[in-house]
Each structure stands twice: as structure tokens, then as C-alpha cells.
Amino acid sequence: MDVTTNQISVEKTKNTKINDVDFNNLSFGSIYMDHMLVCDYKNGAWEAPKVVPYQPISLDPSAKIFHYGQSIFEGMKAYKDEQDTIWMFRPLDNHKRLNLSAKRLAIPEIPESYFMEGLKALLKTDSDWIPQSAGSSLYIRPFIFATGLGFHASPADEYKFVICGAPSGSYFSGEVKVLIEETYSRSANGGVGFAKAGGNYAGQFYPTKLAQDKGYQQVIWTDDNTHEYIEEAGAMNVFVRINDTLLTCPTSDRILDGITRKSILKIAEDEGIKTEVRKIKVQELVDAANDGSLKEMFGAGTAAVISPIAGFGFRDNDYMLPNVEDSYATLLKNRITSIQYNKAEDKFGWRFKVE
């Protein structure tokens, strides 16, 4: 079942696109590197992964991905330091979470060696695509989807595992204001909110568009039952600083167990910042904004790392946050990115060298 990097076949492209890329002016996730990893599940087993030129995927119209949405993904990044060494950040956590998502959606789990050795083979093949300009990285998208055929409502018998990469700059730019959502829900108890399932994100787009029409960039999701408690910020985990305490919601069936979230909590502890993992009422947020004790809010996730929130809207009222010197958001983001780019000690063992 295990494979090594040198057992993974590599078909090199004959027409590289790299010379057309301005690596000093990268948007997020819109330019794709020369190669991708592919691996098919057929006859009850995963076949050998292979690296091939980046190309379209051909599917039959009856492929079950189109009808029953068996699709999961992960978000990761690769970095290059000044010595041209390639690093990843907590990749085994991504593999573990991908398999948690797979299990929930009745998708066969991918072996660790296929995931890790496949990643390494792909990154070595396209190492020149990993940018080194400030704030840039190679965003990596592993995903699995159903390719088996049939209109019957049941799990597919065939799947495809793919890893693609996109050299990328910052995820967000400019000021981010959010609207607290009270009508629509991101997920429900017993559902798939904890999984990185494609449908979770598709269901977010319409309520987010409604918020954008009102002048906000994102929504703060609340619980599905009472809408009294905040849960996530768009597609990210949410953190709130009240006075000098950093708060975040506990993970659940509805809330993604974010790798950046876990890293923030660990680094905050290391910095001596008081943290609380507990339910956070919307009213507590409003009261803290009114009395001046609400110092910061930010989203946390792989793509943006940390995205500060400038203000939030709730029931036709806007609440702006102060500009805080020595903010937790800046401190924590600097600590994480310094580890990711191999610029600081990694006392937690999170950095993974690709060799």
C-alpha cells in the first residue's frame, strides 16, 4: 500500500507556462503550475499516483460527482526559503482532515504515503513555481471526487484524487467588514460542517452575495438553531479579542477544525496571551463593541493565515473596531509566517522539509 517518491512516475510537460508568469504580481489561485498529481480509485483500491502535465479532466455526464456531490478538498501551502529549500506547514494534519472528510462523505480514504509522497513528487517537479517574493507562496489544492457512473442515489465505485498548485499572493486585500447572518446557516448538527466538502462552500455563496450587496465583504455565520452564537467568519474560523482575552468557538459538527486555528491557540499560549475556547454570543460582541472592550476580530485559515476584521454589521447597525497598536492579529500572523518561511525557530515541530 505504501509508495515512495521515486516510485511515482513523472510525465514532464513539453510546454512550460512559467515564463509567462509575473511572480512579483500574483493574484490568489488563478495561475496554475505545469503539473498535477492524479490517482484513481478503481476495483476497490487506489491505483499508483502519478505526476502528469496540468490538463482538463474528462468525465461522463452520469459521473456521480455531478448528481450527488461527493467532493472533498484541502488547502495547503508550500514555501521556499532563501536557500531554495522547500517547506510545508503541518501537512500530516491536512492528510488526517482529508480522510475525516472522506469518511463522512463515504469516500475511500487516501493512504498517507500516497498523499505525502505524491505531494513531494509534485513539488520537486514544479519547484520553480514556488514564489519567493514577500507574502507569496504556492497554494496547494488536494481534492477527491466521485467519477463512478450512475443515477442511483448511492456512493460511487470510482474516485479521482488530484493535487494542483497555484503560485499566489495575498488572499484578501483592503478593509474587511462582515455582516452577522441571522437567516441562513452554514451547517447543522449532525451534518457535514466539520468536513471540507464542496457543498459547504456552494451553500455559502448566496448569503455572502446578499451581504456584499449591502456593502460587506463577508458574513459571520451563527448557530443554526437560535442564531445567538457566532461560529465562523466566511470560510474561516473566527477569533475575537475582548480586552486582553482571545476567544474562539469550540469545534463541533458545524465548525471546521482549522489547522491555522489550532496553531494560533498554541502560539497564543506560548506568548502568554489568555485564551478561551467557548461559545460567543452575538450580544456579547455587540455589548463589547458598545463599551469599548472589543479590541479585535479576525478570521483564520490557510489561504489568508489571519485576516483582520475592521467592523461588523448587525440588525442595521454597524460597529467599527479600533486600530490597536501591537495587535494580536499582527503578532500571531508574524509568528506563524516566520515558521512557515523558515525564518524563525519551530519549537512545535510544524515545519516539514521537502527532500
Side-chain angles (χ1 to χ4, degrees):
M1 198 78 172
D2 288 345
V3 298
T4 61
T5 306
N6 59 16
Q7 290 176 317
I8 296 175
S9 67
V10 177
E11 179 190 346
K12 291 282 191 77
T13 184
K14 296 178 181 177
N15 299 296
T16 181
K17 303 168 290 186
I18 198 167
N19 297 323
D20 299 326
V21 178
D22 180 0
F23 280 88
N24 294 312
N25 187 29
L26 293 168
S27 58
F28 185 87
S30 59
I31 298 168
Y32 311 106
M33 61 190 195
D34 283 333
H35 298 88
M36 62 186 192
L37 183 91
V38 295
C39 181
D40 290 306
Y41 181 90
K42 295 180 178 179
N43 301 314
W46 286 103
E47 299 178 346
K50 55 188 177 182
V51 174
V52 299
Y54 186 90
Q55 59 192 273
I57 295 171
S58 178
L59 291 171
D60 190 285
S62 67
K64 290 200 173 185
I65 177 57
F66 298 132
H67 308 282
Y68 303 111
Q70 277 184 291
S71 173
I72 56 174
F73 69 95
E74 275 296 320
M76 312 172 66
K77 287 181 178 178
Y79 313 83
K80 258 189 185 177
D81 63 18
E82 293 176 354
Q83 288 72 45
D84 277 347
T85 304
I86 302 170
W87 301 92
M88 288 187 287
F89 185 72
R90 306 186 71 167
L92 291 171
D93 288 338
N94 289 101
H95 171 256
K96 179 180 177 182
R97 192 172 63 185
L98 184 69
N99 277 345
L100 284 173
S101 299
K103 184 175 181 179
R104 181 61 182 85
L105 270 75
I107 293 172
E109 297 179 23
I110 195 80
E112 180 183 306
S113 68
Y114 283 40
F115 185 89
M116 292 301 299
E117 299 303 323
L119 261 176
K120 288 159 64 176
L122 181 62
L123 291 175
K124 287 180 179 181
T125 302
D126 274 349
S127 63
D128 290 344
W129 282 86
I130 304 173
Q132 290 179 283
S133 52
S136 297
S137 58
L138 181 72
Y139 184 78
I140 303 168
R141 173 55 58 86
F143 58 102
I144 305 175
F145 62 96
T147 56
L149 309 182
F151 294 146
H152 187 270
S154 61
D157 57 0
E158 295 185 357
Y159 298 84
K160 187 177 288 288
F161 170 52
V162 182
I163 305 179
C164 299
S168 297
S170 298
Y171 188 73
F172 286 118
S173 59
E175 191 173 87
V176 176
K177 290 175 61 182
V178 297
L179 179 66
I180 294 180
E181 178 59 52
E182 291 191 280
T183 301
Y184 298 96
S185 297
R186 177 185 173 274
S187 58
N189 287 329
V192 296
F194 70 92
K196 286 191 74 71
N200 288 347
Y201 299 82
Q204 294 185 28
F205 296 154
Y206 177 65
T208 302
K209 174 64 165 56
L210 296 179
Q212 290 169 346
D213 290 344
K214 295 178 180 179
Y216 302 91
Q217 284 72 48
Q218 268 295 350
V219 298
I220 292 284
W221 299 104
T222 53
D223 69 286
D224 64 306
N225 187 24
T226 66
H227 295 290
E228 291 182 17
Y229 299 92
I230 66 170
E231 294 203 330
E232 290 202 344
M236 298 187 288
N237 295 118
V238 63
F239 283 81
V240 175
R241 175 184 173 185
I242 297 179
N243 290 319
D244 290 331
T245 301
L246 189 63
L247 312 174
T248 195
C249 317
T251 56
S252 68
D253 286 350
R254 304 185 306 277
I255 298 177
L256 188 73
D257 186 11
I259 294 165
T260 306
R261 172 188 177 276
K262 291 189 287 191
S263 304
I264 287 171
L265 288 171
K266 192 67 178 177
I267 290 175
E269 177 188 340
D270 189 60
E271 290 284 347
I273 296 171
K274 182 182 178 183
T275 60
E276 293 181 9
V277 179
R278 62 170 175 81
K279 291 184 176 182
I280 305 168
K281 278 194 171 186
V282 175
Q283 192 59 50
E284 180 181 5
L285 207 60
V286 171
D287 291 344
N290 284 329
D291 68 23
S293 60
L294 179 61
K295 305 300 184 185
E296 296 181 70
M297 291 176 61
F298 54 85
T302 297
V305 185
I306 288 176
S307 179
I309 294 170
F312 68 92
F314 179 62
R315 295 182 179 174
D316 298 323
N317 290 309
D318 280 338
Y319 303 86
M320 298 306 295
L321 277 75
N323 291 318
V324 178
E325 290 186 17
D326 301 321
S327 71
Y328 287 176
T330 300
L331 170 66
L332 295 165
K333 184 172 184 177
N334 286 342
R335 281 286 307 269
I336 291 174
T337 55
S338 292
I339 293 171
Q340 291 170 334
Y341 287 93
N342 193 31
K343 293 182 177 180
E345 177 191 4
D346 176 18
K347 63 173 66 176
F348 310 106
W350 293 337
R351 198 162 48 216
F352 181 90
K353 186 177 182 179
V354 177
E355 53 186 352

